[in-house]
Amino acid sequence: MRIGLLTEGGYPYASGESHAWCDRLVRGLTGHDFEVYALSAEPRRDAPPRPELPRHVRLVRSAPLEDGFPAGRRRAGEPRRGRTPGRRERRRFAECFGDLVAAFATAPPGGEPATPVVPARGAAHGGAPAGYPPAVPGGTPDEVVTSKADRFAGGLYGLAELAREHRGLPALLHSEDAVRLLEAACHGPRALPAAPGAQVNDLLAVTAGLARALRPLSLDWYGDRHTPGLGGVDLCHATSGGAAALPGLLAKHFFATPLLVTEYGVRLREHYLARASAPLSAPVRALLAAFQGALAAETYAQAALITPGNTHARRWQERCGADRARLRTVYPGMDAAPFAAVADAGADDSKTLVWVGSIEPAKDLIGLLHAFAEIRRAEPEATLRIVGGVGRDPQAPGYLAQCQALAAQLFPDEAADSRSVGENPVSFEEIGSPEVPDLADAYASGAVVVLSSVIEGFPRSLVEAMFCGRATVSTDAGAVCEVIGGTGLVVPPRNPRALAEACTTLLGDPDRRARLGAAARARALELFTVEQNVAAFRGIYLELISHAPALPAACRARDARGVPQPFARPAESHVPGRWAATGAATRAAAPGARDAVPAARDAVSATSAAVPAGRTPSWAVPAQERTAVLPVPAGGGAEAGGGAEGGGVAEGGGATGVRGARRSVRWGAAGDRTGVTGAEERAKERGQW
């Protein structure tokens, strides 16, 4: 099948864990064709991606999210005389954008009811304030009973339809009309608590953020008469929420393409963490967070299946409105081969602690250093190796310098005697240095691997330590407990004393370290390998496509380049004979069949000649329509619908129903049957089956 892989800021351009996971998935599923649609944080060249992609990656499309959005990447709209949007487009934009803004920027007093009252189309542009029902003659409001989520979806897909017809949506999102609509919602009686304080510069910042988030609506990824785009794929797989899932939402809306959403780090949580440290005012943070929350809820509502990477992410998704029935945890697949050569930890007297990761404030290395000071009092020979580089946090370089200064203060250089050179028991090292050529060497050098984070998603460093058969001591953050599963010690975060006690316990018990390390390696090889991840998604792909509706019969079986499209027609359309032609045309002719059997015969004959082989067979017709599918012969005998075989036609189940359907068509073609079949003909009929 053809998979549309939707990414943001990663595969196939940027390096990192998201790139590695997507690359492992694509290379593992060689039986499927992939089309990659990548959103990048900054404009990129039109040249092919640097890494060599597998041959079954048929197409790579990219588009930037930052300013400087090239016109060549926008969706081609209908030719117009003017270059700027006309009054009709501006009116439609005001309606759709007003609904979108009113859905996430306003809330009724005391919380949202199950069915709040919202204005009809166009009511947000005059008369009643945004979010209130408009007054109509007679004093009765014209109520449109719908939820805020439905209103958000209506505005979102309305903007998508506008972008599909007119290429000026980016200009409209940056227009004064957008600012005025947002201002009306922020200063209305139902505004969010922080919204009324928004100033002009805040409104401009929010509209710029919305324009950036809604850029996928204007892309040319959704197909035209030259290229099928996302309209020709069998399944959209979004590797994260947010902007990456937005093209999948449009493909679901326009083409009924199933959407699969995988989140190993919940995008909404990442947005909250990033906005909290950004220099933004409270109204801007509140409005952008409300928009991202509404977009996440719509994504979870439309996804056929959601695959979180751990229980921590699953809880976030449930809080955002995801249906538990459509949640399925699939752990990230990590390559265990680089760590296979590392031997299990022996029951020796090693006293080395190892910390591996990106150095940034969320890792709480300050707490780890204070904990190590207590460890040194109990184990004077203990050493601590901090292995890793500076993280992506803007404060990471300063934090590294602070940690180095604290280590020098807490642990002055020590020497074994008066002739030896003093050394600090705490070392800061990077992967690739002579002391630590690769990750496997870093883990192999330690007796215990430590994780001291206060904020954590999926702890990849712990999984790598488990692949190496090392015992671990970690803080209870993110998915740590789920990953460890009893094969290591877990302590509360921001508690240096508890961290020191757990490390001291394992350093003083080599046999326990060895047992925990062996159990950790077995658990990691069972749950967190690439093979289990690829196998899980192979089954999910087939499961989703088996439940997806088939493409219309009018769709081409090949795309614009002549490549066959699997699953373009349902399996029933390949059945030979007249059975595949007993669809809509036959059902349309059925009401008069009881009174005019010859007319039904002509209709069936014409259908067999004119209707393509993609029509629904008679046994696939819904139960309420099956009684009117085929002409019923006169006579009312048992075989004409009163007996078991006639009932087989009505029930539409196995061979009996098929046999009855075929005999009914034969009677209609004869034109002179009375519905009574002799024993000779019945025996002949059974012989054919």
Side-chain angles (χ1 to χ4, degrees):
M1 70 182 74
R2 298 172 63 190
I3 308 298
L5 192 65
L6 311 175
T7 67
E8 180 185 359
Y11 186 81
Y13 297 101
S15 60
E17 186 55 38
S18 62
H19 174 278
W21 171 76
C22 292
D23 188 65
R24 290 192 291 261
L25 177 69
V26 170
R27 294 183 186 277
L29 296 176
T30 56
H32 304 302
D33 290 341
F34 284 86
E35 296 181 3
V36 180
Y37 297 86
L39 295 171
S40 58
E42 65 275 348
R44 299 188 180 275
R45 299 187 304 270
D46 291 334
R50 288 185 179 180
E52 183 179 355
L53 299 177
R55 296 183 60 183
H56 58 281
V57 177
R58 304 295 184 182
L59 179 68
V60 176
R61 305 286 299 276
S62 64
L65 285 175
E66 295 294 341
D67 292 334
F69 187 57
R73 301 291 179 88
R74 297 174 187 167
R75 182 187 304 178
E78 297 180 353
R80 296 185 53 82
R81 296 179 181 178
R83 296 182 179 180
T84 59
R87 286 188 301 175
R88 180 178 301 176
E89 286 75 20
R90 291 165 65 90
R91 187 181 303 112
R92 286 183 58 190
F93 171 78
E95 294 176 357
C96 299
F97 190 76
D99 286 343
L100 183 79
V101 170
F104 73 82
T106 62
E112 178 187 355
T115 55
V117 178
V118 298
R121 292 298 250 184
H125 324 298
Y132 279 91
V136 297
T140 303
D142 184 16
E143 299 179 350
V144 180
V145 181
T146 180
S147 67
K148 287 179 61 178
D150 293 336
R151 193 176 187 192
F152 179 87
L156 180 67
Y157 299 130
L159 292 176
E161 293 170 359
L162 178 62
R164 203 177 187 188
E165 301 171 4
H166 184 80
R167 65 172 63 200
L169 181 60
L172 289 170
L173 290 171
H174 286 96
S175 66
E176 184 180 353
D177 293 342
V179 178
R180 291 186 179 278
L181 289 168
L182 181 62
E183 181 183 18
C186 290
H187 295 283
R190 295 186 179 184
L192 296 176
Q199 303 298 321
V200 175
N201 56 340
D202 298 329
L203 297 175
L204 293 175
V206 173
T207 53
L210 294 178
R212 180 183 183 276
L214 296 176
R215 285 236 174 93
L217 301 183
S218 303
L219 296 177
D220 58 346
W221 290 357
Y222 308 100
D224 52 28
R225 57 184 178 182
H226 302 293
T227 57
L230 287 174
V233 302
D234 300 301
L235 175 67
C236 286
H237 186 177
T239 58
S240 67
L246 194 49
L249 287 177
L250 300 190
K252 173 71 162 53
H253 177 73
F254 290 124
F255 315 114
T257 306
L259 174 61
L260 170 65
V261 178
T262 297
E263 283 190 310
Y264 289 136
V266 180
R267 180 52 58 93
L268 184 60
R269 173 179 176 270
E270 296 173 359
H271 173 84
Y272 288 157
L273 294 175
R275 296 298 180 186
S277 59
L280 299 175
S281 64
V284 175
R285 286 199 300 266
L287 290 171
L288 292 180
F291 169 77
Q292 293 293 337
L295 181 59
E298 176 63 17
T299 300
Y300 297 151
Q302 296 300 327
L305 192 67
I306 307 165
T307 54
N310 51 74
T311 304
H312 181 252
R314 185 183 183 119
R315 287 197 297 265
W316 269 87
Q317 292 168 342
E318 289 180 0
R319 289 289 299 272
C320 294
D323 184 7
R324 291 186 178 182
R326 290 184 286 114
L327 288 171
R328 186 178 306 174
T329 302
V330 178
Y331 294 118
M334 300 181 63
D335 190 6
F339 311 102
V342 179
D344 289 337
D348 52 22
D349 296 331
S350 175
K351 305 294 183 181
T352 303
L353 300 175
V354 173
W355 181 96
V356 179
S358 299
I359 299 176
E360 52 190 8
K363 304 302 181 181
D364 195 20
L365 289 183
I366 300 294
L368 176 60
L369 291 174
H370 285 289
F372 185 66
E374 296 191 18
I375 295 172
R376 288 277 293 180
R377 297 187 185 100
E379 297 286 349
E381 297 180 0
T383 58
L384 173 62
R385 303 184 69 180
I386 298 177
V387 182
V390 177
R392 294 179 295 179
D393 193 307
Q395 303 176 2
Y399 187 75
L400 173 59
Q402 182 182 0
C403 293
Q404 291 172 338
L406 179 62
Q409 179 182 356
L410 292 176
F411 313 102
D413 292 345
E414 301 175 356
D417 51 48
S418 59
R419 298 182 180 181
S420 302
V421 178
E423 294 182 356
N424 195 308
V426 178
S427 61
F428 292 83
E429 307 167 53
E430 293 188 11
I431 301 296
S433 63
E435 296 80 7
V436 190
D438 52 34
L439 274 174
D441 293 325
Y443 292 114
S445 66
V448 177
V449 177
V450 186
L451 180 74
S452 56
S453 302
V454 294
I455 298 176
E456 191 68 53
F458 185 83
R460 301 181 185 279
S461 62
L462 281 187
V463 176
E464 293 169 347
M466 295 167 70
F467 281 145
C468 295
R470 292 300 184 267
T472 59
V473 175
S474 49
T475 53
D476 186 5
V480 167
C481 288
E482 182 180 3
V483 169
I484 291 298
T487 63
L489 303 185
V490 181
V491 300
R494 300 186 188 276
N495 193 334
R497 179 174 298 178
L499 187 63
E501 291 177 356
C503 292
T504 303
T505 300
L506 290 185
L507 289 177
D509 193 344
D511 293 333
R512 186 181 183 186
R513 290 202 314 262
R515 292 194 303 270
L516 290 176
R521 172 171 273 179
R523 178 177 175 83
L525 292 176
E526 179 184 0
L527 298 178
F528 307 122
T529 60
V530 176
E531 291 75 17
Q532 66 84 20
N533 182 270
V534 172
F537 279 109
R538 180 183 291 112
I540 287 173
Y541 283 178
L542 295 178
E543 175 186 346
L544 292 182
I545 203 64
S546 67
H547 294 291
L551 295 177
C555 290
R556 295 170 295 177
R558 294 177 179 270
D559 61 13
R561 295 172 295 175
V563 178
Q565 298 186 38
F567 303 98
R569 292 181 178 178
E572 295 89 346
S573 66
H574 300 287
V575 178
R578 297 176 178 173
W579 306 321
T582 57
T586 308
R587 291 196 294 272
R594 297 179 182 271
D595 300 327
V597 173
R601 173 201 62 199
D602 297 338
V604 172
S605 301
T607 303
S608 302
V611 178
R615 295 291 187 182
T616 306
S618 59
W619 62 85
V621 177
Q624 61 270 22
E625 298 181 20
R626 287 173 186 159
T627 55
V629 169
L630 297 173
V632 179
E639 296 182 271
E645 294 183 350
V649 177
E651 296 297 325
T656 305
V658 177
R659 181 167 66 251
R662 185 175 181 181
R663 182 165 60 253
S664 299
V665 173
R666 180 177 296 176
W667 288 338
D672 55 353
R673 299 286 186 181
T674 61
V676 180
T677 306
E680 226 176 39
E681 291 191 271
R682 280 200 302 272
K684 184 177 180 181
E685 187 76 12
R686 294 192 183 97
Q688 291 180 355
W689 287 91

